[in-house]
Amino acid sequence: MKNGNVVDGVQNAPHRSLFHALGLTDEEQHRPLIGIVSSYNEIVPGHMNLDKITDAVKLGVAMAGGTPIVFPAIAVCDGIAMGHQGMKYSLVTRDLIADSTEAMALAHGFDGLVMIPNCDKNVPGLLMAAARVNIPTVFVSGGPMLAGRVGGQKTSLSSMFEAVGAYHAGKIDDAELHEYECRTCPTCGSCSGMYTANSMNCLTEALGMGLRGNGTIPAVYSARIELAKHAGMAVMELVRKQICPRDIMTKEALCNALTVDMALGCSTNSMLHLPAIAHECGVELDLDLANAISERTPNLCHLAPAGRTYMEDLQEAGGVYAVMHELDKKGLLHTECLTVTGKTIGENIEGCENLDTNVIRPIDNPYSETGGIAVLKGNLAPEGCVVKRSAVAPEMLVHEGPARVFDSEEEAQTAINAGEITAGDVVVIRYEGPKGGPGMREMLNPTSAIMGMGLGSSVALVTDGRFSGATRGACIGHVTPEAASGGLIGLVENGDRICINIPAHTIELKVAESILNERKKNFIPKQKKLSGYLKRYAAAVSGGASGAILRS
């Protein structure tokens, strides 16, 4: 065991003295030392309950004969960071989380790890760390929030953001807006739709890194505490068998995750995170593979924001395993893949029936024959861009219109609020990519305003930034190359025609090559004055199409 590197033998007597300073007995020091990576804090609603999850994991580890030791991971609430400079610090924390967890785990000789994330960047950041450290590891999240209720209808955070758009359009008044504020997010947990946090937590099950229910058991259910205890027990079994993350997160497992992603209709952010996780596993996962998997994978779920069902409904319908059971009926999964249960995916999902066909469509009656996410390419995005196809109105799957160009989210938001965007427009927001933002801000405010104003079936939005999982509509993000790297999106002018064809996977700027060549002669990408971590991040980050990874 790796723990022996820091506690065994005369040479390590100084180390043992420091463990005694922690109050650890001789018996505890010579049991497997399990790092409990807790993302608990008091600013993120999805993390405020993680102290209870952490205590339960510690108990599970101790019950199974290990010594649990807690250390922290940071977390940003994307909802609170949304719409201002704070969002520049969201995606960038994924790498801080991975780096700091790697440092803590390897510096202290842990035998195993239990990762306790919940919200958007913690899950992929800790999965990246798990792949790097490669010691036995189990994931257990804090769980999703229950849906809110306004006017007799279930709501989620996307409903709240769209209510702001409705307010600006004069569709609701101050009292109605305040009701949304007070009733949309009624419990702790990750926001109740199939947004990024819940997408990634569900994908831990598909990858084999989380136990059944990790993505769907609500945060406030006592079953979540039981799950945490079982996660503590499970890591001890992995330590005994020496099953490590790279034994589990193989290329086939990552393809399973992409397949489940398409069936669930996950957030487009998964197309940033899965390639980054794959990179840490030594596996190439490109956007062309995502399209190939999407083309053969039916979309079985329309969870919010795509539809009117929520994470609690998915749990009652049988959860992620029930979705995987449906997919397996057509042989769409690699069922031989190993998981943290010590069993294969096929063994795990056996008998996990779909309990509600209104929440999980049967495999022979899907919402669509193709998956929830599509990758588009064309002269505007030669390396690719991404759209959540399952959340696009049918009439917007093919759209051509004049560009309305903005060099920041704030500029676009001002124009949208002022009523300057009209039916048929294609809103272009640039210099918001990984390098140009920097940090690739999510664009939930402008997309929600467009939907709230009733323009969702007539206006498209294209950006080198990205979208929240709460976004719906014809919103195309991750345009690569980005404007700051000299991409064609930096040359678009007001009135240029942009053609989007999601079924054909194309996006084209309809401007003659001769005109574009003239524009290129005078084009100098805008540069922002940066300092601190964002300056270092912008200098090292890759494009969105490759997962916004940091180049070594």
Side-chain angles (χ1 to χ4, degrees):
M1 294 183 182
K2 289 187 173 67
N3 187 15
N5 295 334
V6 294
V7 298
D8 288 346
V10 173
Q11 190 66 30
N12 286 327
H15 302 76
R16 293 195 295 276
S17 73
L18 292 168
F19 280 117
H20 280 297
L22 291 168
L24 294 182
T25 65
D26 290 334
E27 292 83 359
E28 288 175 300
Q29 291 184 41
H30 289 93
R31 292 171 183 166
L33 191 66
I34 306 300
I36 314 298
V37 188
S38 174
S39 302
Y40 168 76
N41 64 47
E42 294 182 341
I43 187 62
V44 183
H47 290 235
M48 63 180 284
N49 66 320
L50 295 190
D51 55 343
K52 295 178 177 60
I53 301 298
T54 300
D55 287 344
V57 170
K58 289 175 67 177
L59 183 56
V61 168
M63 289 167 62
T67 299
I69 302 290
V70 178
F71 65 88
I74 63 169
V76 165
C77 177
D78 279 22
I80 295 173
M82 195 72 66
H84 59 93
Q85 293 302 304
M87 181 48 73
K88 293 177 185 282
Y89 288 90
S90 172
L91 179 61
V92 304
T93 65
R94 185 186 71 183
D95 295 275
L96 285 175
I97 291 162
D99 292 348
S100 59
T101 303
E102 173 193 0
M104 287 293 289
L106 294 180
H108 299 106
F110 288 107
D111 294 304
L113 298 169
V114 179
M115 306 294 200
I116 309 178
N118 209 28
C119 290
D120 296 35
K121 308 311 166 301
N122 291 84
V123 189
L126 291 176
L127 283 165
M128 290 162 67
R132 288 186 201 171
V133 176
N134 201 38
I135 60 176
T137 302
V138 176
F139 276 68
V140 57
S141 76
M145 184 184 291
L146 294 179
R149 281 173 173 78
V150 177
Q153 297 292 321
K154 284 186 177 182
T155 59
S156 58
L157 188 63
S158 54
S159 312
M160 181 69 252
F161 276 88
E162 289 179 20
V164 175
Y167 179 84
H168 283 299
K171 295 182 177 183
I172 62 173
D173 60 21
D174 289 306
E176 291 169 301
L177 184 65
H178 186 65
E179 184 180 11
Y180 272 97
E181 290 177 36
C182 295
R183 301 186 65 182
T184 293
C185 299
T187 73
C188 62
S190 49
C191 297
S192 57
M194 188 52 79
Y195 309 148
T196 306
N198 291 325
S199 295
M200 294 308 301
N201 280 321
C202 285
L203 294 186
T204 63
E205 294 188 52
L207 276 170
M209 292 296 293
L211 300 176
R212 182 180 183 182
N214 186 49
T216 56
I217 297 172
V220 295
Y221 283 15
S222 296
R224 176 63 56 179
I225 301 296
E226 295 181 35
L227 181 74
K229 291 175 184 175
H230 283 126
M233 297 177 203
V235 76
M236 293 302 299
E237 190 63 24
L238 294 182
V239 169
R240 281 188 278 272
K241 294 179 178 178
Q242 278 302 291
I243 297 173
C244 297
R246 288 185 210 164
D247 299 321
I248 294 171
M249 290 193 288
T250 61
K251 183 167 186 177
E252 290 75 20
L254 287 155
C255 287
N256 282 344
L258 270 174
T259 301
V260 174
D261 183 318
M262 299 303 171
L264 286 172
C266 289
S267 163
T268 51
N269 282 315
S270 63
M271 300 310 300
L272 282 174
H273 300 322
L274 286 175
I277 295 161
H279 176 74
E280 299 293 348
C281 295
V283 174
E284 183 179 353
L285 199 69
D286 61 28
L287 294 184
D288 291 331
L289 176 61
N291 257 355
I293 289 175
S294 182
E295 285 304 296
R296 64 174 181 260
T297 305
N299 178 224
L300 304 181
C301 299
H302 268 191
L303 296 146
R308 303 298 300 175
T309 52
Y310 297 82
M311 296 306 296
E312 63 204 63
D313 302 312
L314 181 58
Q315 167 65 15
E316 294 302 315
V320 176
Y321 277 21
V323 174
M324 296 173 77
H325 190 266
E326 288 290 340
L327 293 170
D328 189 44
K329 291 176 181 178
K330 287 196 173 180
L332 296 174
L333 296 174
H334 297 278
T335 55
E336 76 285 358
C337 290
L338 188 62
T339 74
V340 292
T341 66
K343 299 178 181 179
T344 66
I345 285 287
E347 290 173 309
N348 285 348
I349 66 174
E350 186 177 354
C352 296
E353 299 294 339
N354 180 359
L355 304 177
D356 189 341
T357 56
N358 292 315
V359 177
I360 305 170
R361 288 278 188 93
I363 194 73
D364 56 1
N365 183 32
Y367 283 102
S368 67
E369 293 293 341
T370 53
I373 290 176
V375 174
L376 315 183
K377 288 188 176 181
N379 68 343
L380 193 58
E383 294 176 28
C385 56
V386 179
V387 61
K388 189 171 184 174
R389 173 165 47 187
S390 60
V392 178
E395 58 268 33
M396 290 297 291
L397 290 171
V398 178
H399 179 76
E400 181 174 332
R404 294 295 311 279
V405 183
F406 305 96
D407 287 345
S408 71
E409 177 186 359
E410 288 84 356
E411 290 179 19
Q413 190 67 48
T414 299
I416 294 166
N417 290 347
E420 296 173 9
I421 304 302
T422 59
D425 285 346
V426 178
V427 176
V428 176
I429 305 178
R430 60 195 180 191
Y431 294 103
E432 292 287 5
K435 176 183 175 68
M440 206 176 188
R441 288 194 288 179
E442 291 181 342
M443 304 289 171
L444 184 56
N445 277 341
T447 61
S448 298
I450 287 169
M451 296 302 298
M453 291 177 172
L455 295 171
S457 61
S458 59
V459 170
L461 194 153
V462 177
T463 181
D464 52 11
R466 62 193 178 97
F467 299 114
S468 163
T471 290
R472 61 191 178 104
C475 301
I476 294 94
H478 310 191
V479 168
T480 311
E482 61 179 291
S485 296
L488 192 62
I489 190 172
L491 299 176
V492 180
E493 295 183 359
N494 284 318
D496 289 349
R497 306 289 293 184
I498 294 177
C499 181
I500 300 161
N501 190 323
I502 295 172
H505 302 136
T506 60
I507 183 166
E508 294 288 336
L509 177 64
K510 298 289 190 177
V511 175
E513 195 66 32
S514 58
I515 295 174
L516 291 177
N517 287 335
E518 284 300 311
R519 293 181 188 177
K520 288 176 184 176
K521 291 178 182 178
N522 301 312
F523 178 51
I524 301 175
K526 293 185 176 182
Q527 301 293 325
K528 297 175 182 176
K529 187 175 181 180
L530 302 172
S531 62
Y533 181 50
L534 290 183
K535 183 176 181 179
R536 298 196 302 275
Y537 183 87
V541 71
S542 73
S546 59
I549 60 174
L550 297 186
R551 304 180 189 91
S552 57

